[in-house]
Amino acid sequence: MMSQSHYSFRIDNMTLDDIPGAVAIEKAAYLSSDPRRDFEYELERNRLAHYLSLHVVFSEPHQTCQIGVSGYWLIGEEAHIITIAVDPGWQRLGLGEWLLLNLLEHAQTRHAKVATLEVRPSNQRGIALYQKYRFREVGRRFAYYSDNGEDALILTTPSLDTPEYQNMLTTNKEELWLRSAQLRIDRIAIHTQG
């Protein structure tokens, strides 16, 4: 029987040291397309760009692994979400939702009033998550994705600073905390997932 390691998750502002991990995560998470994002430019020169990194921290032996990345551009009072990606070996644990929630909170501290994004109509899991955070479809970009010509749905939130939206964020965060407390991740899985 494999022993369980003590672990925690941490979301930080992305640094230049996180770039190789972020590139690998996006390539693995988005198999249908290569995002070709210039993270170095985004972090050092794009004043609109804000990126977060998700790490898992194991206590025995002490090891930190980057397993997720999210980012947005703050354009006026709009947080335009550029990416939310979790390493495929860590998906379906609610970690993408943690990234989205932290991104929304991060954007609000910088005075964002709404959040927008594009999503493939075929990405039903992503759409369900965004709907949970009250994103709604406001438009469509035809043949947006160059790999297969798929359209992009344009989604936006209601005003982020209303009491109703803030209550929803609080409720979702509490549910995530409860779900996260039940996670049991085997230390050995880190090595077998590549």
Side-chain angles (χ1 to χ4, degrees), residues 166-176:
Q166 291 302 306
N167 288 338
M168 180 272 301
L169 285 179
T170 299
T171 299
N172 287 357
K173 185 184 270 190
E174 289 169 357
E175 290 173 3
L176 267 175

Side-chain angles (χ1 to χ4, degrees), residues 67 87-91 93 185-194:
I67 59 171
D87 182 283
W90 292 88
Q91 291 178 1
L93 298 172
I185 298 172
D186 194 321
R187 172 66 179 83
I188 294 171
I190 289 285
H191 299 295
T192 60
Q193 292 170 357

Side-chain angles (χ1 to χ4, degrees), residues 150-175:
E150 188 173 3
D151 294 348
L153 303 178
I154 304 168
L155 307 182
T156 191
T157 62
S159 181
L160 299 174
D161 57 3
T162 64
E164 295 81 17
Y165 200 85
Q166 291 302 306
N167 288 338
M168 180 272 301
L169 285 179
T170 299
T171 299
N172 287 357
K173 185 184 270 190
E174 289 169 357
E175 290 173 3

